[in-house]
Amino acid sequence: MTELDWRINPGRKIATLELREDSTVADMQNAIRRLPDVPGWQNDFDIIIEIRPDATLEDFTADNLVQHKDFMRVWNAENRKGHSPRTALVCSDDLKRTIPSLWEAMTRAGWMTAIGVFETREAAYRWIADK
């Protein structure tokens, strides 16, 4: 199990998590569970999940994404308040971007959090700021 670290940007009200080479769905969920205790986090912040070019995403199967959807539905309801929260998924790799795009499609209907998929962090920042 790999521990992933959050970066908090209080000026933009964004928490960013970076998925690395060996990151798994369980690693990501553990990091998300810890987010409410990260210094500086507030429940009206938006989230950016960055997928590094070296991330394999081998563990991000359809079954794991369905389980993650159930996990996130509960977590979002308990930990994201205020405005209409946004989660940006950033991935520069065209092929790997199919996984975040699948996640966005899976959560399109009846989801409290808007999900966006972007090639760059700057594009994600613009989308989050454009509320």
Side-chain angles (χ1 to χ4, degrees):
M1 183 114 5
T2 302
E3 187 162 312
L4 302 172
D5 296 317
W6 289 96
R7 291 188 320 266
I8 303 295
N9 184 327
R12 288 191 165 158
K13 299 179 86 171
I14 294 173
T16 302
L17 184 69
E18 190 174 77
L19 300 183
R20 300 186 300 256
E21 178 182 3
D22 55 352
S23 298
T24 66
V25 173
D27 295 335
M28 184 173 61
Q29 287 177 349
N30 286 334
I32 291 167
R33 278 187 196 95
R34 287 191 329 272
L35 181 56
D37 298 322
V38 171
W41 161 259
Q42 295 181 32
N43 61 9
D44 64 340
F45 279 25
D46 295 301
I47 293 174
I48 294 177
I49 307 282
E50 289 189 57
I51 302 168
R52 286 190 356 190
D54 63 348
T56 63
L57 304 181
E58 290 175 5
D59 185 56
F60 288 73
T61 64
D63 288 341
N64 283 346
L65 289 177
V66 168
Q67 183 275 333
H68 185 63
K69 183 177 177 183
D70 294 338
F71 167 81
M72 287 307 302
R73 185 178 306 279
V74 172
W75 190 88
N76 281 328
E78 293 174 355
N79 295 289
R80 297 188 81 185
K81 308 292 182 206
H83 70 303
S84 176
R86 291 187 171 198
T87 297
L89 306 171
V90 177
C91 182
S92 62
D93 184 285
D94 290 338
L95 182 59
K96 290 177 188 169
R97 203 166 36 256
T98 59
I99 292 173
S101 295
L102 174 62
W103 176 255
E104 187 273 332
M106 289 173 63
T107 59
R108 199 172 291 146
W111 199 252
M112 74 170 279
T113 304
I115 306 291
V117 180
F118 305 93
E119 290 184 44
T120 67
R121 185 183 319 157
E122 291 73 26
Y125 284 151
R126 285 192 301 275
W127 176 71
I128 287 171
D130 186 33
K131 292 190 219 187

